[in-house]
Amino acid sequence: MTKKVRIIIADDHLLIAETWATLINLDPEFEVVKVYDNTKTMIDEITEVRPDVAILDININPFSGIEATTMIKKLSPGAKIIGVSMHNQPSFAKKMIRNGAMGYVTKNSSKLEMYEAIRSVMKGEKYICAEIQKNITNQLLVEEEDNKLSKLTEREIEIIRLIKNGSTNKEIAETLFLSPRTVETHRARILKKLGLKNSLSLVKYINESFLDL
């Protein structure tokens, strides 16, 4: 008979912890051996219980999931830790992973994602749920757009704002006291810096951009 993965869960909302335990125990590979509503009792018993996997809510007392992760790694280094939170900001996942956790899921994650997280960490792999991965991707996209905009001069940013407001080259020239030819030169430089092909793509980029110019 295959040995089951021994799991503990710590969440100060006992109903949530017990619900997770019920769902996890539906899989014959897993066994939730203990549920805690605080991290002090969990830390006090960790060397005795010796779980394979510890599932920790990050907002729990008296030690947060982030603090408890460090303690568990010292007391029971073989335990694989999965952080659970209602927060979907990647920064929380990064803190947990940095402190020694192997996985991170949100409370919006499905039962199947939790199963996958447990199996992944037991194989020594890190696991980040789909919701966090999506937010990480969105952050990278914002950073990429920020990097593009950092190449623009203040004058070029002014011109982009005016284009976004629907101004023509002639109107932009009059507003900024420039010649239409100078405005055209600025537009060409903007296209090059943003990696765009033509004025139509520039207008589309400005209108669809999630940046508040």
Side-chain angles (χ1 to χ4, degrees), residues 37-43 60-65 67-68 71:
D37 63 1
N38 71 89
T39 40
K40 185 182 185 309
T41 306
M42 180 195 68
I43 294 299
I60 188 172
N61 294 310
F63 314 116
S64 71
E67 294 169 325
M71 298 175 182

Side-chain angles (χ1 to χ4, degrees), residues 74-88:
K74 289 179 180 177
L75 296 169
S76 183
K80 309 293 192 298
I81 299 167
I82 298 172
V84 182
S85 176
M86 62 182 289
H87 302 293
N88 60 9

Side-chain angles (χ1 to χ4, degrees), residues 7-11 24 53-57 80 82 84 114 118:
I7 300 165
I8 60 171
I9 301 173
D11 191 308
I24 290 169
V53 175
I55 298 173
L56 307 179
D57 180 19
K80 309 293 192 298
I82 298 172
V84 182
M114 180 61 86
I118 296 169

Side-chain angles (χ1 to χ4, degrees), residues 80-82 97 100-104 120-121 124-128:
K80 309 293 192 298
I81 299 167
I82 298 172
I97 300 295
M102 293 287 290
Y104 191 92
S120 293
V121 301
E125 301 169 356
K126 288 187 170 62
Y127 183 88
I128 304 294

Side-chain angles (χ1 to χ4, degrees), residues 30-208:
F30 310 138
E31 180 185 8
V32 177
V33 295
K34 194 91 179 190
V35 170
Y36 298 95
D37 63 1
N38 71 89
T39 40
K40 185 182 185 309
T41 306
M42 180 195 68
I43 294 299
D44 288 345
E45 297 181 359
I46 196 76
T47 54
E48 178 185 347
V49 178
R50 293 285 178 186
D52 298 308
V53 175
I55 298 173
L56 307 179
D57 180 19
I58 69 168
N59 292 322
I60 188 172
N61 294 310
F63 314 116
S64 71
I66 295 170
E67 294 169 325
T69 295
T70 304
M71 298 175 182
I72 291 172
K73 295 310 292 181
K74 289 179 180 177
L75 296 169
S76 183
K80 309 293 192 298
I81 299 167
I82 298 172
V84 182
S85 176
M86 62 182 289
H87 302 293
N88 60 9
Q89 295 92 336
S91 59
F92 289 102
K94 289 176 184 176
K95 286 178 183 177
M96 285 293 288
I97 300 295
R98 198 178 297 127
N99 276 35
M102 293 287 290
Y104 191 92
V105 299
T106 68
K107 291 184 178 179
N108 292 325
S109 297
S110 67
K111 174 183 68 176
L112 294 179
E113 273 195 301
M114 180 61 86
Y115 291 172
E116 189 176 348
I118 296 169
R119 291 190 179 100
S120 293
V121 301
M122 284 300 294
K123 290 188 289 187
E125 301 169 356
K126 288 187 170 62
Y127 183 88
I128 304 294
C129 71
E131 185 177 13
I132 297 295
Q133 289 187 39
K134 180 181 177 182
N135 288 343
I136 289 172
T137 301
N138 289 339
Q139 279 191 1
L140 291 174
L141 289 173
V142 170
E143 288 169 9
E144 182 181 340
E145 296 302 324
D146 286 343
N147 288 336
K148 285 181 180 179
L149 291 176
S150 68
K151 299 176 183 177
L152 301 176
T153 64
E154 289 185 19
R155 176 65 80 192
E156 289 163 350
I157 292 289
E158 281 183 306
I159 290 171
I160 286 179
R161 286 196 183 104
L162 290 168
I163 293 171
K164 189 172 185 179
N165 291 335
S167 298
T168 64
N169 275 6
K170 183 180 178 182
E171 290 169 337
I172 292 170
E174 291 173 354
T175 301
L176 300 179
F177 303 102
L178 301 171
S179 70
R181 186 178 181 84
T182 300
V183 173
E184 275 297 331
T185 300
H186 279 302
R187 286 181 73 129
R189 288 175 180 163
I190 291 167
L191 288 173
K192 185 176 181 180
K193 289 179 180 180
L194 295 179
L196 302 171
K197 293 181 179 180
N198 50 45
S199 295
L200 184 63
S201 61
L202 174 60
V203 172
K204 184 178 179 182
Y205 171 86
I206 293 168
N207 290 334
E208 293 181 353

Side-chain angles (χ1 to χ4, degrees), residues 17-32:
E18 289 175 344
T19 300
W20 272 118
T22 300
L23 292 173
I24 290 169
N25 282 332
L26 291 175
D27 191 301
E29 293 180 37
F30 310 138
E31 180 185 8
V32 177

